[in-house]
Amino acid sequence: MHIPVLASIGAAVVGVTAVVGTVVLVATAPQPQPQALWIDSPVAGVALSPGDLTVTMHTNEPQVTSIRAVIATDGNTVAVLTDNELETLSRGKDAKLLYVFDQVWNAQPGTYTITATAYAGSTARSTAKAQVVVLGAVATPDATPSPDTPPPTEPSAEPTPSATPAATPSATPSAGPTPQPTAKPTTKPTSKPTTKPTTPPASTPQPSHTTDPIQTPTPVVPAAGKATRSNETNSGWTNTFTITGIRPNTAQVYIDINLHNTVFTPYFAGWKSYPCGNLTLYSGSGADATYQCSVTVTIEPPGNWRSGEFWLGMPDSVYRPKIVSGGKTYYGVGGNWTVAAK
């Protein structure tokens, strides 16, 4: 089973120094955390892309045998994920054992609440909740041309008044001229109905314009996209993050980073943001266009994570994309370092 991201476990203070576009973080000493259950991924409040998503969480409650996650929208349960074979992480002498949940959920567009419960046998020990939003295309209602059908039936009723022209010529006293008036009404009514039905359909398509605002999504739905990390040599703490799928191009874009150590007491340095500028077109055009950007940062963990020339328990650093648009903050899909690599 894959060892998941352990996110949002605590907070400490991190110093930041910028040197020619490179940022250096220095974290303070770790702080202990109380017994609880944490939902690591997806992070609460994030906007996600639809599809298969990995749901991860962990607890330091003792003797936990299973963790269950109930996913619901509008009070209706859409999925129940249960992990009865929990991975465990040992964090050193006198440290509590961590139990790790890792399951996959096929997410569809909508707003969901994830309610997680850790069990020791049949006894519930801890619970946690997180609300996430899964983005997706808004379904456009089909145009209903039914208003076009009633107009032809109305003109068909108009030829019936043509009987009145037929009655006026019949009022003539002479019997000889009657054939001529009967011929004229038959030709005129047939020509008029053919022209009148064509004019109402020309006006009735106007209501179909009510679908235009739905087909042109304004304002554009913001998207924080997905972040990837590259450090080919793993020989230093300098990493380049690339964020793709950003929308709109007027959003303020950041990469959020949180240092983490899995050997000592669970420790997170707290989320720190670094701006990612110079957006370039990634895909699409117009309202469907998405953009990308890259940012390089250098992070050095605390000195107590090192013994002589070697690093003991390399930090499991978590990252995620973030945008600010229209005064609101949106989070995208991020990732983490492997424990043994810089």
Side-chain angles (χ1 to χ4, degrees), residues 110-144:
T111 300
Y112 299 90
T113 298
I114 302 176
T115 303
T117 306
Y119 292 89
S122 60
T123 303
R125 301 297 298 270
S126 295
T127 60
K129 285 188 177 182
Q131 187 175 65
V132 297
V133 176
V134 180
L135 300 178
V138 179
T140 57
D142 296 334
T144 55

Side-chain angles (χ1 to χ4, degrees), residues 3-40:
I3 302 300
V5 181
L6 303 181
S8 303
I9 306 182
V13 180
V14 174
V16 180
T17 305
V19 181
V20 192
T22 299
V23 181
V24 178
L25 277 70
V26 179
T28 60
Q31 298 181 3
Q33 298 294 328
Q35 292 183 351
L37 171 65
W38 294 270
I39 298 177
D40 306 315

